[in-house]
Amino acid sequence: MSRRMVPQLEKATAAGVLLAFLGACGGEEPVAPSPPPPPPDPVETSREILIDSVRLVADQRNLDPLDPHDPIRPELVELGRMLAFDRVLSGEKDISCMTCHLPELGGSDALSLTVGQGGQGLGADRIHPSGVFGPRHSTTLFNLHLRRSLFWDGRLEELEDGELRTDAGAHLTPEMIDVFEFGVTSAQALFPVENRQEMRGGSDNPVGALPDGAFTAVWARLMDRLVEFEDYRALFVAAYPGVAFDDMTFAHASNAIGAFMIEGFAMNDTPFDRFLAGDTTQLSTPALRGALRFMNEHRCMRCHETDSFQDRQGDFHNSGVPQFGPGFSDEPGVGDDLGRERVTGDPADRRLFQVPPLRNVELTAPYGHAGQFATLEAIVRHYNNVEARLREYDVSQIPPELRGTLLNNFDEILANLDTLLIPVRFEEGDAGDIVEFLKSLTDPRALTLDLAPDTVPSGLPVDRLTGGRR
Ligand code: HEC
Ligand code: HEC
């Protein structure tokens, strides 16, 4: 049987090895080399070929173990940890950053769409009494030190000249930016606290009473809350030696939360990284096959192309995923999500989304910008003929309350499907191999990540998922 990926091979050097691999694994009996003694074990031989092929292709793709982050002052991390877990930053004091980014769930929440302010419970059990969902899936927080843009649409980004582009406009002053030590990650916490659905709540609390978009006033009111706690004053002063607490702004809080997220969620000692560093025992044979399918055959690495498997240029793409839920639009009630277009205003950017990083992706189901896919298998299968898969999207994998909100806009979504994906087809078994490869991107430490402090300075309850992952 001729396999259609062969013409996609990009370098003659890889082709020889890969053809040998395909011959050995393409369903036919491996050809054992002619005797003399002792005949090599055909399984071992094909594994050796696979190992060589994966190394060769990884080398061609310049794939290296992830760079670590620079050391960070422990005092800054500790301040950030307290703030990230402290519900005091929400209007009604009922939700913290970590409610939606639980370390036990890889910095996500196990929900398709988030349940913000006013919700109850944690992880998969979290519900909102009035059925309110956020517009998008909560992203993982792994390896943020490598990020140049955040959010599914990259609306918080570092531009080429080093400037930060954010939704806060002139509210984000040069003095605040001077405080930031970790680029976009330092700025991230400035936004959920202003967002009513996520943290700020309605006008009957002092933070929610401020008008929409009044970022500066919201940040100031939160600092007024923090100053009440002696422990916070001490933590801030320890985190920023030489700066008086009165001279600090919410930028100092946000920068500290960034420090905590980088330090707490740096997880890149994975079997695949160890393989790249030379330990060939780390990958199972299916994972090796999956690595080749991912890196070469099925074009995955045309978008997931950096060491952390993001787009190298920071470009955004339309991978043809369905849309449901409240949507993300400046016009209320639209129910659609135009992705990058909302940020740039360019219709060519319609429904383009950030290419998510994939280290530890096994731990952050569901997948996609609205959590459209319940399992890794489901999102990998989506890539096998995207048009057909989108049209037969299985709505039973999302929460019952959301099923009726699935938009029937498949033609529109497919109208600017990334052309890279149009010809991709593969066999069932390939999906399983790719999933095995993706699982080799899990740092074992991430399975037992436990970052929650026992208490926070405000004394409010701390979000910790008892019983861990399910
Ligand atoms: C109600 C749930 C919720 C809360 C509370 C929340 N987030 Fe998020 N967070 C999200 C969602 C959803 C996204 C993706 C939103 C988007 O792309 O538009 C996100 C995105 C992020 C990202 C970007 C990651 C990436 O890969 O692009 C970071 C970092 C982050 N949040 C940190 C925080 C911090 C810090 C706080 C507290 C100040 C916080 N979040 C509070 C739900 C939440
Ligand atoms: C055209 C660019 C492109 C190609 C090619 C591509 N992806 Fe993606 N990938 C994306 C984008 C964009 C998203 C986010 C999709 C969304 O929700 O809008 C994504 C999401 C994912 C996710 C979910 C991650 C998460 O945290 O939610 C996985 C897993 C994934 N891709 C694996 C693959 C595999 C496997 C292949 C090859 C079969 C592949 N991708 C090919 C662009 C691409």
Side-chain angles (χ1 to χ4, degrees):
M1 187 194 71
S2 80
R3 311 248 325 191
R4 41 157 295 285
M5 71 288 284
V6 173
Q8 287 176 25
L9 292 173
E10 286 177 19
K11 281 218 178 144
T13 45
V17 184
L18 273 162
L19 285 170
F21 147 68
L22 295 169
C25 314
E28 295 121 53
E29 279 300 301
V31 185
S34 52
D41 176 350
V43 176
E44 276 307 310
T45 310
S46 60
R47 184 173 158 87
E48 286 308 312
I49 294 171
L50 269 174
I51 289 170
D52 288 347
S53 310
V54 174
R55 302 183 104 175
L56 186 83
V57 178
D59 196 47
Q60 275 182 4
R61 304 276 190 220
N62 295 319
L63 205 51
D64 292 312
L66 280 196
D67 290 332
H69 64 79
D70 293 333
I72 308 176
R73 314 188 280 293
E75 296 82 0
L76 189 63
V77 173
E78 188 58 7
L79 168 63
R81 185 165 82 113
M82 294 299 165
L83 291 167
F85 280 97
D86 202 332
R87 299 181 180 182
V88 75
L89 294 187
S90 62
E92 304 283 351
K93 301 185 185 173
D94 68 341
I95 182 167
S96 77
C97 302
M98 293 295 123
T99 310
C100 299
H101 297 288
L102 290 159
E104 299 87 346
L105 297 174
S108 188
D109 59 3
L111 299 169
S112 286
L113 297 175
T114 51
V115 172
Q117 187 277 325
Q120 287 149 10
L122 281 182
D125 297 330
R126 187 166 171 81
I127 50 161
H128 197 283
S130 332
V132 178
F133 285 97
R136 288 183 181 156
H137 175 64
S138 168
T139 41
T140 167
L141 301 182
F142 288 119
N143 300 315
L144 286 168
H145 61 289
L146 298 166
R147 304 294 295 275
R148 296 287 167 271
S149 74
L150 293 175
F151 292 120
W152 285 102
D153 51 16
R155 66 187 181 277
L156 169 54
E157 61 187 324
E158 192 179 309
L159 304 175
E160 265 166 32
D161 56 9
E163 295 271 298
L164 284 186
R165 205 216 70 82
T166 80
D167 277 355
H171 289 277
L172 185 55
T173 62
E175 292 72 28
M176 292 177 77
I177 291 172
D178 275 350
V179 174
F180 294 160
E181 296 169 68
F182 316 100
V184 288
T185 305
S186 287
Q188 166 65 39
L190 301 175
F191 302 97
V193 295
E194 193 276 338
N195 183 309
R196 289 196 184 280
Q197 175 265 328
E198 287 190 342
M199 296 184 82
R200 194 151 73 99
S203 52
D204 44 4
N205 78 72
V207 189
L210 296 163
D212 286 344
F215 286 95
T216 307
V218 167
W219 297 330
R221 200 151 287 180
L222 290 173
M223 285 305 275
D224 290 346
R225 271 193 185 174
L226 297 178
V227 73
E228 299 290 318
F229 302 100
E230 196 184 326
D231 285 353
Y232 268 127
R233 294 199 303 272
L235 282 164
F236 270 96
V237 168
Y240 294 99
V243 186
F245 184 82
D246 289 345
D247 293 336
M248 295 196 206
T249 67
F250 197 70
H252 292 83
S254 184
N255 180 59
I257 296 175
F260 159 70
M261 293 191 293
I262 288 176
E263 178 79 36
F265 290 88
M267 292 284 150
N268 51 28
D269 185 9
T270 74
F272 185 66
D273 289 290
R274 292 182 173 205
F275 174 88
L276 290 179
D279 180 355
T280 55
T281 64
Q282 294 281 335
L283 295 196
S284 70
T285 301
L288 287 166
R289 279 199 304 265
L292 285 181
R293 306 206 192 285
F294 183 92
M295 294 193 294
N296 237 6
E297 275 173 61
H298 300 322
R299 301 190 159 191
C300 311
M301 243 192 130
R302 298 286 285 271
C303 295
H304 297 275
E305 57 185 337
T306 64
D307 293 342
S308 58
F309 302 106
Q310 292 207 274
D311 185 284
R312 197 174 301 285
Q313 312 302 329
D315 287 343
F316 295 74
H317 297 270
N318 174 356
S319 57
V321 299
Q323 185 60 47
F324 52 77
F328 195 75
S329 168
D330 291 331
E331 298 162 52
V334 172
D336 202 351
D337 191 334
L338 300 186
R340 187 66 177 161
E341 182 184 356
R342 191 194 144 271
V343 178
T344 62
D346 182 349
D349 287 339
R350 184 158 300 176
R351 300 180 204 286
L352 271 48
F353 291 90
Q354 171 123 231
V355 179
L358 298 178
R359 286 276 187 312
N360 307 298
V361 69
E362 179 188 4
L363 308 180
T364 54
Y367 303 103
H369 71 261
Q372 293 96 330
F373 302 94
T375 62
L376 266 185
E377 284 79 1
I379 186 159
V380 173
R381 290 212 174 92
H382 165 78
Y383 285 103
N384 179 14
N385 189 348
V386 170
E387 171 168 4
R389 294 293 91 74
L390 176 62
R391 293 192 190 280
E392 64 180 36
Y393 174 70
D394 173 14
V395 83
S396 74
Q397 62 191 310
I398 60 172
E401 310 88 293
L402 289 171
R403 291 176 195 162
T405 68
L406 179 73
L407 293 185
N408 182 6
N409 62 347
F410 300 148
D411 290 334
E412 262 178 69
I413 293 173
L414 293 166
N416 75 335
L417 173 66
D418 203 295
T419 51
L420 276 171
L421 288 169
I422 293 172
V424 176
R425 304 283 185 281
F426 47 84
E427 288 164 29
E428 267 304 284
D430 293 14
D433 289 343
I434 293 175
V435 168
E436 284 311 305
F437 163 66
L438 293 173
K439 288 181 176 172
S440 82
L441 302 176
T442 304
D443 184 331
R445 286 187 311 138
L447 293 165
T448 54
L449 195 57
D450 179 7
L451 300 172
D454 291 333
T455 56
V456 287
S458 69
L460 290 164
V462 175
D463 290 321
R464 182 198 295 271
L465 197 65
T466 46
R469 312 182 54 81
R470 280 190 288 156

